[in-house]
Amino acid sequence: MPTGELDRLDIAILEALQENARTPLSEIGRRVGLSQPATSERVKRLEDRGILAGYTARLDAAALGLGMMAIIRLKTTHEHIKPALKAFAEMPHVIEVHRLTGEDCFLLKVLVPTPGQLETIVDTIARFGAVTTSLVLRSEPVKPLGKALLG
């Protein structure tokens, strides 16, 4: 979907929903200069086109007892790709999986309560190949997709 098909109002709606998806459509409409029905129609079209893929809640992992975040890189061989993906899917502490080009094959984001749990995960993943683990000291907020990128 080329971004040229999004006008400034669509982009403004997307920015508002990324900021807080619970904002009433009437409030978003007031912000962007549309009526609530016109805003609702635009949101529906964005959903139908697959641009607006869903609505989620952001959770605080540390408040849930998952205070350690690690990034794990895995270098493996082609025959281990599918078994590794299956193993990652079965590991609840692996919350993101990215398949990469280059020297590393996978980048994983992991949330754990303790160093011992991280050790268990690293040992499990290491059966597929060489592992490099980095502890995350702090994360910056994810940038929303908005007019700076799409406009």
Side-chain angles (χ1 to χ4, degrees):
M1 171 68 28
T3 58
E5 294 187 31
L6 295 176
D7 66 17
R8 68 172 182 78
L9 295 173
D10 289 332
I11 292 170
I13 291 167
L14 292 171
E15 287 176 331
L17 288 171
Q18 288 175 92
E19 182 182 311
N20 182 355
R22 293 187 67 179
T23 303
L25 293 181
S26 58
E27 171 61 25
I28 293 172
R30 276 193 292 280
R31 284 191 212 168
V32 303
L34 292 173
S35 67
Q36 187 275 327
T39 304
S40 295
E41 180 56 35
R42 281 180 177 260
V43 167
K44 174 88 170 88
R45 281 198 312 257
L46 292 165
E47 291 170 344
D48 291 346
R49 292 167 58 191
I51 293 169
L52 188 50
Y55 303 86
T56 63
R58 290 185 305 254
L59 306 180
D60 184 326
L64 294 167
L66 299 167
M68 285 186 76
M69 182 188 304
I71 302 298
I72 300 174
R73 297 185 345 250
L74 172 64
K75 186 187 311 183
T76 191
T77 56
H78 189 71
E79 68 266 13
H80 288 111
I81 299 285
K82 284 187 180 178
L85 285 167
K86 183 177 185 307
F88 303 153
E90 294 170 356
M91 300 170 74
H93 291 88
V94 175
I95 62 165
E96 288 184 27
V97 176
H98 302 275
R99 187 158 177 205
L100 308 174
T101 62
E103 205 164 309
D104 293 318
C105 299
F106 291 102
L107 184 139
L108 312 173
K109 183 175 173 182
V110 177
L111 290 174
V112 293
T114 65
Q117 184 72 41
L118 180 58
E119 179 183 25
T120 300
I121 290 168
V122 169
D123 289 348
T124 301
I125 293 170
R127 70 181 185 197
F128 299 111
V131 171
T132 303
T133 304
S134 300
L135 291 178
V136 175
L137 300 175
R138 178 181 64 198
S139 296
E140 296 299 319
V142 174
K143 290 180 182 179
L145 304 180
K147 64 183 168 210
L149 181 61
L150 303 172

